Amino acid sequence: DRYENGRKHILVDEVDSMLLDKGNCVLYLSHQPSNLDSLESVYIFIWQMIVLNAVNGKYSSILEIKKIVLHNLYSILDKNELYKLTKNYEIIEEIWNELIENNNIDNLGKILSSENIKFENENLNEFLKPLKFLFDEIINYEKRIQIPNYLKLFVEQHLTTWIQSGIKAFEMEEGRNYIIDVDKNLTKLDKHPNIIIIDCDTGVDQINSQWNECLHQFLQLKHQCKTSLINLKAVFISNITFFNMYTNIYGLSGTLGSESEREFLKITYDVDFITIPVALTSRFKEYQPIVCKNIEQWRKTIVETAMKIVTGKNKRSIIIICETIKDVEQIKQSFKQYSEEEEQQNKESNSSNFDDCPDSSETYNNTET
């Protein structure tokens, strides 16, 4: 057993990514309880509210959406509904406080019991009958969210975070932090388009990973993918805690060199550094940065600079490293546009040269004359 005598040695590749960039990242071992499939109605309802607000040109307020969700989850008495009984603010406050004291409602208006509604102040008895009718109307209201009672508290505890995740999913763009693809390891029947997280630091597809707090489910709804169950965290540990369990840490990196990075690693992990010389002389040359006014000029400059190197005297190949897949697609489109413009200019140039040539019949007549 590798843990029998304690953790002694660990070898880490790309040590700057694992210990610096992702030092605070947490590894979760999660599971998907089957009884959570009923929660799908909750985040579908939240997503519908966010999309409806966007269609109407309205900003999605977290508090407003939360209020509507809770009214479709519980039977809730809104204090404003008491104005149906009377317009007197003092009487409304007295009715509200007595309902709370009698445990008919809680402080938020959630109906706890519609039985034995009574008032200590006899002057309020005239409102008993219309109040019972109002309670029955709220309780019998057909709610759009149907989940088991034992999950309602769980939903209420996570509701604010879920709404924030829904708004974030609405604003996220495909190709920046995620792509839509199928898992190549699955069988043909199980292959469905799904949300696949992209590690922006390494560009690796994290097929077996999911965003938490319903963010993954909202993205699946956004792109009409098959929705998955919410994951619950069973075991978790941060990268820093995991690596510090080992006595000796051996790491390799080709990009770790600044004094501040080395000092941070030395303090956090208590490690030393050895610089291994390269086998060949480095031919790396850094040019002066080019500052562009806007994104269009930035892409155009990249294309023009790349074409100069590719078609220049030495005709060297070039690699363009982009931050996201979205940037790759946009720069690819810029190259395509550049190629089409060059082709059009060549056609116009050839057409112009042909027009400048003397007509063959005229040349023959002039010669004979």
Side-chain angles (χ1 to χ4, degrees):
D1 187 359
R2 60 175 174 170
Y3 299 133
E4 184 177 352
N5 299 319
R7 299 173 174 87
K8 292 185 178 180
H9 308 284
I10 184 171
L11 182 63
V12 185
D13 191 18
E14 296 295 342
V15 67
D16 54 329
S17 175
M18 295 299 296
L19 303 187
L20 280 176
D21 301 333
K22 298 180 181 177
N24 292 326
C25 289
V26 178
L27 171 66
Y28 296 100
L29 298 180
S30 59
H31 62 293
Q32 297 178 329
S34 57
N35 56 350
L36 294 184
D37 56 351
S38 60
L39 297 180
E40 186 174 287
S41 62
V42 179
Y43 46 81
I44 287 178
F45 183 83
I46 295 172
W47 182 250
Q48 289 174 340
M49 292 293 301
I50 294 172
V51 173
L52 185 62
N53 287 339
V55 171
N56 295 329
K58 183 180 177 182
Y59 176 75
S60 294
S61 169
I62 295 176
L63 292 178
E64 182 181 343
I65 295 177
K66 184 176 181 179
K67 182 179 178 181
I68 297 174
V69 171
L70 290 176
H71 274 77
N72 280 273
L73 192 63
Y74 298 105
S75 297
I76 297 178
L77 173 66
D78 194 324
K79 186 184 288 189
N80 293 327
E81 293 182 283
L82 295 179
Y83 280 97
K84 297 177 181 178
L85 310 180
T86 178
K87 302 298 181 183
N88 191 315
Y89 175 76
E90 293 180 356
I91 294 178
I92 290 175
E93 284 294 318
E94 192 171 355
I95 293 174
W96 183 265
N97 292 331
E98 289 221 24
L99 289 173
I100 294 176
E101 290 176 5
N102 294 333
N103 291 323
N104 296 117
I105 62 172
D106 63 8
N107 293 327
L108 299 176
K110 190 187 301 180
I111 296 178
L112 304 176
S113 173
S114 60
E115 304 294 333
N116 300 323
I117 300 177
K118 56 184 179 179
F119 300 117
E120 292 183 4
N121 186 351
E122 295 182 355
N123 295 329
L124 300 178
N125 288 337
E126 61 177 295
F127 300 107
L128 280 176
K129 190 173 181 179
L131 187 60
K132 289 179 180 179
F133 178 80
L134 181 59
F135 267 56
D136 291 338
E137 185 181 28
I138 295 172
I139 292 172
N140 296 326
Y141 170 75
E142 186 178 355
K143 298 171 180 58
R144 296 173 59 185
I145 299 175
Q146 301 293 335
I147 61 173
N149 290 329
Y150 63 86
L151 286 176
K152 289 183 177 180
L153 182 58
F154 174 80
V155 171
E156 194 172 352
Q157 291 173 340
H158 291 266
L159 188 54
T160 300
T161 311
W162 288 357
I163 297 172
Q164 291 173 341
S165 296
I167 296 173
K168 183 178 180 180
F170 186 83
E171 296 172 349
M172 291 176 69
E173 294 183 49
E174 179 189 355
R176 294 208 177 275
N177 298 101
Y178 68 93
I179 59 173
I180 302 174
D181 203 351
V182 296
D183 187 351
K184 307 296 191 301
N185 298 323
L186 298 176
T187 61
K188 190 173 183 179
L189 294 176
D190 295 330
K191 286 184 177 180
H192 300 285
N194 199 5
I195 305 298
I196 298 178
I197 301 174
I198 300 296
D199 187 341
C200 293
D201 295 325
T202 61
V204 176
D205 296 357
Q206 299 178 330
I207 297 174
N208 297 321
S209 298
Q210 281 194 18
W211 278 302
N212 61 354
E213 297 297 352
C214 264
L215 178 58
H216 213 84
Q217 284 70 26
F218 283 122
L219 288 171
Q220 289 170 334
L221 289 173
K222 178 179 180 179
H223 297 284
Q224 301 178 1
C225 299
K226 181 181 178 182
T227 54
S228 57
L229 295 178
I230 298 176
N231 290 330
L232 293 183
K233 305 176 186 69
V235 182
F236 53 90
I237 186 173
S238 68
N239 285 359
I240 289 180
T241 303
F242 176 77
F243 289 125
N244 279 328
M245 290 179 175
Y246 290 85
T247 305
N248 299 312
I249 304 175
Y250 302 96
L252 302 172
S253 174
T255 56
L256 184 64
S258 68
E259 290 298 326
S260 59
E261 290 173 336
R262 293 191 177 202
E263 187 64 24
F264 176 80
L265 287 179
K266 186 175 182 180
I267 295 173
T268 307
Y269 299 99
D270 190 24
V271 293
D272 296 322
F273 299 90
I274 298 176
T275 302
I276 301 175
V278 295
L280 301 174
T281 304
S282 175
R283 300 180 63 183
F284 174 77
K285 183 179 181 182
E286 185 174 358
Y287 292 94
Q288 192 72 20
I290 301 174
V291 180
C292 302
K293 294 181 179 179
N294 50 55
I295 192 71
E296 288 78 15
Q297 185 183 1
W298 175 70
R299 296 190 193 117
K300 184 179 179 181
T301 305
I302 291 176
V303 173
E304 291 176 349
T305 305
M307 294 307 297
K308 285 181 182 177
I309 297 174
V310 172
T311 61
K313 183 179 179 181
N314 297 326
K315 293 185 178 181
R316 293 187 59 186
S317 59
I318 187 171
I319 179 172
I320 301 174
I321 302 175
C322 301
E323 184 176 4
T324 66
I325 295 177
K326 191 80 172 180
D327 294 333
V328 173
E329 295 295 333
Q330 291 172 345
I331 292 178
K332 175 185 175 182
Q333 189 62 33
S334 298
F335 271 103
K336 186 177 179 180
Q337 183 179 349
Y338 177 88
S339 177
E340 291 173 352
E341 291 175 355
E342 284 288 309
E343 186 177 353
Q344 183 64 29
Q345 289 178 3
N346 290 335
K347 286 182 179 179
E348 292 176 356
S349 177
N350 292 335
S351 176
S352 176
N353 293 334
F354 181 79
D355 292 339
D356 291 340
C357 293
D359 187 75
S360 57
S361 60
E362 292 180 0
T363 303
Y364 175 79
N365 291 333
N366 290 335
T367 303
E368 190 165 318
T369 302

